[in-house]
Amino acid sequence: MENFQFQNPTKIIFGKGSIKYIGNEVKSNNVQKVLLLAGSGSIKQNGVYTQIVDSLNRTKIQFVEVWGVRPNPTLEHAKQVVELLKSENIQGIVAVGGGSVIDEAKSVAAGVFVENLWDIFEKKAVVRQALPVFVVLTLSATGTEMNPFAVLSNDEELKKWSFGSPFVYPKVSIIDPSVQSTLPRRQTANGGVDSLSHLMENYFMGEPSAEISLALNEATQRTVISQIDKLMENPDNYEARANLAWSSSIALNGMTSVALGGGEWTTHAIEHALSAINPQIAHAEGLAVMFPAWIKYVSDAKPYIFDRWARNVWAANSINEGVEAMQSKFRLWGSPTTLTELGFTKADFPKIVKCIVEYGRVGRIKQLDTTDFEKILELAL
Ligand code: NZQ
Ligand code: ZN
C-alpha cells in the first residue's frame, strides 16, 4: 500500500431536520454577518430557505442574499459577488444548493483575498486564506460539501476550470437528505452518475496492494447504483436518499481514494470541455456519455483493474459486459449516452479537443494526445 496522508476538516451534520442548526454553527465560528448564496429559487419551493432564515434570525446572524448562481457557475457572477462581499464587510458565506452554488461560494471566499479571481484558476495566484464557508446541501452529486475543490466557467474564454485549496473546505456542511425529494428525476440521476464517476476516477488508478481502498470504493459504487434504482421507483424514499447522500460525500472526500495514486480525471477533463462549450449540459450528463467511451479506449493498458471493476461492481463476466451494463443502467435512469444526444457532431471535435488540451496534460493510465481524444470522442458519438 502506498504511503498516504489523510485529513478532512469539514464537520458534517447529517439527517432529517438538521437545517435548523445552521445559525448556531455560524455563530460558534464567531461570524456575525454572512452572505446567503443561492441558485434560481428551488430552495424557496421546498422550504429550505424558510428554515435557514428562521435559524439565522433566531441566532441573530445578519445576512445579505445573493441569488442567481447558474448551474455550471460563471466567473462573471462570482466577480460581482466578490465586490459585494468587500463592500458589505461580510465575514462568511452560507451556500445553499448543489455543487454550483457551493463552488461559487468557495471561489468567492478565496477570491476576496486576491487581486484577480481567475488568477487562482490559472494557478497564477496562490490561495493563502478564505472566508469561512457554511453549506446547506440540497443535491448530492459533486462531493464539494466535503472537499477542497471548486469549479467555475469562464464563458468568454471557453474555460471550465477548477482549483483546490485546503482553505476552502467548508467549515460545516448540513446534509438533510429529505430536502432532495424535490429534485427532478434528471438531477437525481445526475447525482448518481457524478458520484459513480468520482469513485471510478480514483478506482482505476488502484493497485491490488490497496485492497481496502478498492473494496470500500467498490462497495460505495454498488450502493450508489442500488440507491438510485430505488429513487427512480420512489423519489420520496428517505433511506435511499440518505444512503445515496453519504455515498456521494465519501466518493470525493478522500475516504474512498487513499493510496489510489491521486486519481485519473481524464473523463472529467473531457466533460469540462463539453460543458464549457455548451453550459446547458449538466456535468453528469457529459460524464455519462464519456466514461464508457474512455474505458473502452484505455482499458487494454491496465486490464486487471477494469476486469475487477466489471466483476465486482456490475457482476459482469468481462470488461465489455461491464461497460454495457453501466451504459444500460444510465439509459434506464434517463441519462444521455451519446454526444449526438448532447447536440455535438464530428465537426465540433477540434473545438472540444482544443479545450481539453488547453487545461493541461491529461491521461495517466494511458497518456493521450490530440488524436487519442478524437478517437475517444468518436466512440461516444
Ligand atoms: O438553481 P437552483 O435553484 O439551486 O436549482 C438547482 C439547479 O437547477 C437544482 N436543485 C438543487 N437542489 C434541488 C434542486 N431542485 C429541486 N430540489 C432540490 N433539492 O438542480 C440544478 C442543478 O444544480 P447544480 O448545483 O448545478 O448541480 P450539481 O450539484 O450537479 O453541481 C454541478 C457543478 O459542480 C461541478 C460541476 O462541474 C458543475 O459545475 N463539480 C464540482 C466538483 C467539486 N467542487 O468537487 C466536482 C465535480 O466533479 C464537478 O465538476
Ligand atoms: Zn464530477
Side-chain angles (χ1 to χ4, degrees):
M1 196 176 199
E2 283 174 20
N3 293 359
F4 68 88
Q5 295 189 5
F6 176 78
Q7 184 180 22
N8 192 309
T10 301
K11 173 178 178 181
I12 297 293
I13 303 181
F14 190 99
K16 254 181 217 167
S18 50
I19 295 176
K20 61 176 176 285
Y21 300 121
I22 187 68
N24 273 332
E25 290 300 321
V26 171
K27 200 171 179 177
S28 58
N29 277 277
N30 295 318
V31 171
Q32 272 93 38
K33 184 175 180 183
V34 293
L35 172 77
L36 193 167
L37 189 64
S40 67
S42 61
I43 62 166
K44 282 213 168 154
Q45 279 149 24
N46 61 15
V48 169
Y49 173 76
T50 316
Q51 294 182 59
I52 290 169
V53 168
D54 285 352
S55 177
L56 294 177
N57 284 338
R58 212 173 40 245
T59 46
K60 302 194 169 44
I61 305 291
Q62 292 177 57
F63 61 96
V64 177
E65 297 178 20
V66 171
W67 295 81
V69 176
R70 187 188 79 180
N72 294 321
T74 66
L75 172 65
E76 201 189 352
H77 192 269
K79 277 181 170 169
Q80 292 166 13
V81 178
V82 167
E83 291 316 310
L84 183 95
L85 288 170
K86 289 179 183 164
S87 65
E88 290 276 344
N89 274 323
I90 287 168
Q91 301 161 336
I93 302 163
V94 173
V96 192
S100 296
V101 172
I102 299 164
D103 280 8
E104 186 166 321
K106 290 173 168 180
S107 305
V108 298
V112 283
F113 297 105
V114 295
E115 221 173 280
N116 176 1
L117 172 56
W118 191 247
D119 281 351
I120 298 174
F121 291 82
E122 296 267 3
K123 318 285 179 261
K124 291 178 188 158
V126 181
V127 178
R128 298 192 196 285
Q129 53 183 328
L131 295 175
V133 174
F134 303 87
V135 165
V136 176
L137 184 71
T138 66
L139 167 47
S140 286
T142 61
T144 186
E145 69 278 7
M146 208 178 171
N147 76 34
F149 310 117
V151 187
L152 273 192
S153 292
N154 180 334
D155 284 352
E156 225 171 85
E157 297 181 22
L158 284 191
K159 291 174 177 170
K160 182 180 172 185
W161 284 13
S162 63
F163 80 94
S165 161
F167 292 101
V168 300
Y169 272 106
K171 286 268 174 244
V172 180
S173 284
I174 295 182
I175 307 172
D176 177 345
S178 70
V179 307
Q180 299 194 29
S181 59
T182 55
L183 279 168
R185 187 184 159 91
R186 170 191 172 212
Q187 296 296 354
T188 297
N190 284 347
V193 173
D194 197 19
S195 306
L196 269 184
S197 300
H198 299 153
L199 291 159
M200 290 191 289
E201 294 279 20
N202 285 302
Y203 182 88
F204 294 129
M205 286 297 288
E207 297 298 334
S209 60
E211 178 59 31
I212 175 60
S213 288
L214 293 177
L216 192 59
N217 190 308
E218 286 162 0
T220 315
Q221 291 191 54
R222 289 194 302 269
T223 308
V224 170
I225 297 161
S226 61
Q227 304 313 297
I228 295 284
D229 277 346
K230 288 182 181 174
L231 291 167
M232 291 293 117
E233 295 280 312
N234 174 15
D236 294 322
N237 181 335
Y238 176 78
E239 297 309 334
R241 287 276 173 211
N243 280 286
L244 174 68
W246 188 233
S247 302
S248 177
S249 294
I250 69 169
L252 198 53
N253 74 350
M255 280 287 290
T256 49
S257 58
V258 294
L260 293 183
E264 232 290 341
W265 301 109
T266 297
T267 311
H268 268 70
I270 300 175
E271 187 300 301
H272 285 180
L274 301 180
S275 52
I277 292 168
N278 179 2
Q280 300 289 326
I281 295 172
H283 173 59
E285 293 172 347
L287 293 171
V289 168
M290 295 313 308
F291 233 117
W294 175 80
I295 295 174
K296 281 183 199 160
Y297 195 74
V298 305
S299 53
D300 62 347
K302 199 176 172 186
Y304 63 90
I305 195 74
F306 290 94
D307 190 69
R308 176 179 166 147
W309 165 80
R311 288 173 202 282
N312 292 357
V313 176
W314 295 101
N317 291 316
S318 67
I319 300 173
N320 274 347
E321 273 184 29
V323 173
E324 269 168 34
M326 180 166 76
Q327 267 184 319
S328 31
K329 191 60 90 177
F330 289 171
R331 266 184 231 115
L332 191 75
W333 294 346
S335 300
T337 51
T338 62
L339 281 170
T340 312
E341 286 167 83
L342 297 182
F344 289 108
T345 67
K346 212 171 166 178
D348 298 308
F349 286 6
K351 195 174 178 182
I352 300 171
V353 174
K354 183 170 175 281
C355 277
I356 301 168
V357 294
E358 208 171 17
Y359 185 58
R361 217 179 109 219
V362 265
R364 298 190 66 197
I365 287 177
K366 196 183 223 174
Q367 219 183 314
L368 303 168
D369 61 20
T370 311
T371 321
D372 294 310
F373 286 120
E374 297 220 351
K375 288 183 184 158
I376 295 174
L377 292 169
E378 183 93 47
L379 284 172
L381 202 59

